[in-house]
Amino acid sequence: MSRLAVPKTYKLFIGGGFPRSESGRTYEVARADGAFLANAAKASRKDARDAVVAARGAVGGWAGATAYNRGQVLYRIAELLEGRRAQFVAEIEDAEGATRAQAAAQVDEAIDRWVWYAGWADKFAQVAGNANPVAGPYFNISVPEPTGVVAIVAPQDSSLVGLVSAVAPALVAGNAVVVVASERFPLSAITLAEVLATSDVPKGVVNVLTGSPAEIAPWLASHADVNAIDLVGAGDLDWIDLEIAAADTLKRVLRPEQGPDAAAPTLDRIAAFTETKTVWHTKSLR
């Protein structure tokens, strides 16, 4: 007797758990040739709100961790990505119709980018901060601090590299993240969420929503408890309206990027979601 395969059920990732959408909705994910590949959860406005609540509850602990500890945690994610490399390669092959070599190159690039950002966790403050010259017997020091909860619309034409490129820099400085994955290629996003769930990342620091960015992004852009929004993958949406909604709640906004270099690793992507705190301290008169 031939055995029946056990198909995977792809869910959301909120607060460290894997719930179905509260609406019960799913949508079909197709292979590159149009054949059925899997069902994925279709997140709702309520799911987005739940993800923001989870991120808000987690951001204090993550921001309060030492930069060295955050770097260790982020590097651990890269280790686990390497350990599940074959699964990511197979998913990208199925979803994007890439060759095995092309899919492997994408996974390797995603791992390398994660390592790159992990390395900056305990070094970024020295580059972005400053000891300011002042006229008086004072030390004047500027240091970067996390913005808080960052919503992200991930690049929509990439299974894994775009997602990693958008999420990793927001985490480096201590932000918590709610990310809307690629609607066409969501499977690697949930597999990445499984990596996060089995790593040392605290629950709620990263929350992954699958479904329609056009439906979810407006609620995140207007949510008063979201501090910033990265629209890197929102180029096909009416992102001007999203930017206006974000301005109503004084959010910091990164505009969409197009092309193969979208969300390429830079220190600017880390700095985009930090605030600068300046401290004065008297010098000893002795």
Side-chain angles (χ1 to χ4, degrees), residues 103-174:
Q106 288 190 49
V107 176
D108 290 344
E109 179 66 20
I111 295 169
D112 291 348
R113 290 189 181 191
W114 205 284
V115 171
W116 192 85
Y117 278 116
W120 275 107
D122 61 349
K123 304 172 185 67
F124 170 68
Q126 292 96 304
V127 176
N130 196 38
N132 308 306
V134 293
Y138 307 100
F139 293 109
N140 183 267
I141 303 171
S142 296
V143 293
E145 294 196 336
T147 296
V149 175
V150 178
I152 299 171
V153 180
Q156 296 296 295
D157 57 355
S158 169
S159 296
L160 183 63
V161 173
L163 182 75
V164 167
S165 301
V167 170
L171 299 179
V172 169

Side-chain angles (χ1 to χ4, degrees), residues 4-149:
L4 294 176
V6 181
K8 183 175 179 178
T9 301
Y10 290 84
K11 301 177 183 176
L12 308 175
F13 182 59
I14 299 175
F18 291 90
R20 293 178 172 83
S21 171
E22 60 82 30
S23 66
R25 297 180 303 169
T26 62
Y27 71 101
E28 292 188 358
V29 180
R31 295 178 183 271
D33 61 6
F36 174 80
L37 180 59
N39 287 311
K42 189 170 186 178
S44 67
R45 173 178 62 175
K46 174 64 163 56
D47 296 318
R49 290 204 306 265
D50 290 345
V52 172
V53 169
R56 177 57 61 192
V59 70
W62 182 242
T66 65
Y68 180 73
N69 179 243
R70 284 200 299 271
Q72 288 180 310
V73 171
L74 294 176
Y75 188 79
R76 174 62 177 159
I77 296 170
E79 290 179 332
L80 294 174
L81 278 169
E82 188 76 50
R84 296 181 67 167
R85 182 175 179 275
Q87 181 180 359
F88 283 106
V89 169
E91 287 179 340
I92 292 173
E93 281 186 278
D94 289 341
E96 297 187 19
T99 66
R100 181 169 293 273
Q102 291 170 334
Q106 288 190 49
V107 176
D108 290 344
E109 179 66 20
I111 295 169
D112 291 348
R113 290 189 181 191
W114 205 284
V115 171
W116 192 85
Y117 278 116
W120 275 107
D122 61 349
K123 304 172 185 67
F124 170 68
Q126 292 96 304
V127 176
N130 196 38
N132 308 306
V134 293
Y138 307 100
F139 293 109
N140 183 267
I141 303 171
S142 296
V143 293
E145 294 196 336
T147 296
V149 175

Side-chain angles (χ1 to χ4, degrees), residues 219-239:
W219 300 108
L220 292 173
S222 61
H223 198 302
D225 211 21
V226 173
N227 303 108
I229 187 166
D230 184 352
L231 300 176
V232 59
D236 292 335
L237 306 181
D238 192 349
W239 61 268

